[in-house]
Amino acid sequence: MKKREFIAQDLLSKIYQHRDSPLEKLPPERRLAEEYGVSRFTLRKALEKLVAIGAVRIVQGAGIFINPGVGNNPLIYNSITEKKFNQISYRLLELHKRRPDSEERQIFGLTDDDFIWAFTRLRKVDAANVQLEYARMPAAGFADLTPDTIEHSIQQYLLSKGCALSHSLTHYRATTVSKAQAELLACKKGIAAMHILNRGILPDGRVAIFSDIIDIDYACSYVIPFNRDNLAFRQT
């Protein structure tokens, strides 16, 4: 783990370790840099991550403030969601409108007479290829989907239509990159990757988008309450 990643994780851990007596501020940059034995530049990179995920805010001349309530809520972030939208770009590879297959009918609650959008795109972070995404969306309600829309954030597109997601159901599995995937991602065949399946669910229960993703630079961190019920179930 890179030093700045360790620092970000360690500071986040300390924020959650003080839930009973919440911290209001972190120590000054200079003191933190000395404690971790790193340069101010490395420390600032770690703090940038905490700012990006909403854990802290930096007020010039006043200090590093912990956002209220952050230690009392579950927190999940990954190598995409910690990035700002202007750091992420997309390139459309394919776009089709077609009938759904049996699995897609189940996912979206569609019939044989309905249509879906199916598209493949590359997702880049800081201009580097990181994800190959094959996604599907129901055509009904999203008739104005265009190639230009797909080369931008789908989440922002949904928000513009008043369709804010309420939940995501995500499955992760380790995999390796196939020859065809490597050609699209401009990487070596057989390198380690993460296979991610994700359903974006709307407040009314409908699935708005189903994504099948290969990510060659994936990292995910989360802080959630300990599940005592699951522990009890596993012990029976």
Side-chain angles (χ1 to χ4, degrees):
M1 180 182 288
K2 293 180 179 179
K3 195 67 176 178
R4 64 191 183 197
E5 296 287 346
F6 170 78
I7 295 169
Q9 296 270 328
D10 194 58
L11 290 174
L12 192 58
S13 174
K14 287 177 169 55
I15 291 171
Y16 276 82
Q17 287 167 226
H18 288 82
R19 285 187 303 161
D20 293 336
S21 53
L23 300 174
E24 293 185 0
K25 292 177 67 176
L26 292 177
E29 279 189 17
R30 185 181 299 278
R31 179 175 153 193
L32 286 173
E34 291 174 354
E35 287 181 1
Y36 286 105
V38 297
S39 66
R40 295 280 290 274
F41 175 82
T42 298
L43 179 75
R44 283 170 185 160
K45 287 295 182 181
L47 292 174
E48 284 175 8
K49 180 183 285 287
L50 296 185
V51 170
I53 64 176
V56 305
R57 66 189 188 281
I58 299 174
V59 179
Q60 194 67 32
I64 309 160
F65 292 86
I66 297 167
N67 287 328
V70 68
N72 298 319
N73 297 308
L75 176 65
I76 300 175
Y77 64 93
N78 61 45
S79 45
I80 293 296
T81 60
E82 71 184 27
K83 298 293 184 179
K84 294 182 179 180
F85 286 120
N86 61 12
Q87 293 176 277
I88 304 171
S89 61
Y90 305 85
R91 180 163 71 88
L92 176 64
L93 301 177
E94 289 184 304
L95 171 63
H96 303 286
K97 187 177 182 180
R98 60 170 174 79
R99 301 289 188 184
D101 63 24
S102 60
E103 288 190 356
E104 291 160 349
R105 291 196 297 271
Q106 289 288 345
I107 291 169
F108 296 108
L110 302 177
T111 70
D112 292 341
D113 297 324
D114 292 314
F115 285 89
I116 64 166
W117 293 110
F119 58 86
T120 306
R121 63 181 183 170
L122 280 174
R123 181 182 277 115
K124 299 170 177 278
V125 174
D126 296 327
N129 293 338
V130 294
Q131 287 187 351
L132 179 63
E133 178 184 16
Y134 175 51
R136 282 141 285 179
M137 299 177 68
F142 305 114
D144 60 346
L145 191 72
T146 65
D148 183 66
T149 300
I150 295 166
E151 292 195 330
H152 293 81
S153 167
I154 293 295
Q155 187 175 20
Q156 289 189 317
Y157 166 72
L158 292 172
L159 287 171
S160 73
K161 298 183 70 63
C163 298
L165 297 178
S166 65
H167 293 80
S168 291
L169 174 62
T170 308
H171 172 78
Y172 306 99
R173 181 173 62 85
T175 189
T176 56
V177 175
S178 69
K179 180 180 178 181
Q181 293 164 349
E183 290 175 354
L184 294 171
L185 286 162
C187 66
K188 292 183 179 180
K189 172 189 172 184
I191 66 171
M194 188 67 74
H195 186 191
I196 306 167
L197 298 175
N198 185 67
R199 302 185 192 204
I201 304 171
L202 298 171
D204 62 8
R206 290 179 298 143
V207 175
I209 182 168
F210 178 75
S211 294
D212 187 329
I213 299 166
I214 297 295
D215 191 310
I216 58 174
D217 188 26
Y218 189 76
C220 181
S221 297
Y222 56 93
V223 185
I224 57 174
F226 182 68
N227 191 331
R228 299 183 185 280
D229 292 335
N230 178 260
L231 176 64
F233 172 78
R234 293 170 63 195
Q235 291 174 327
T236 58

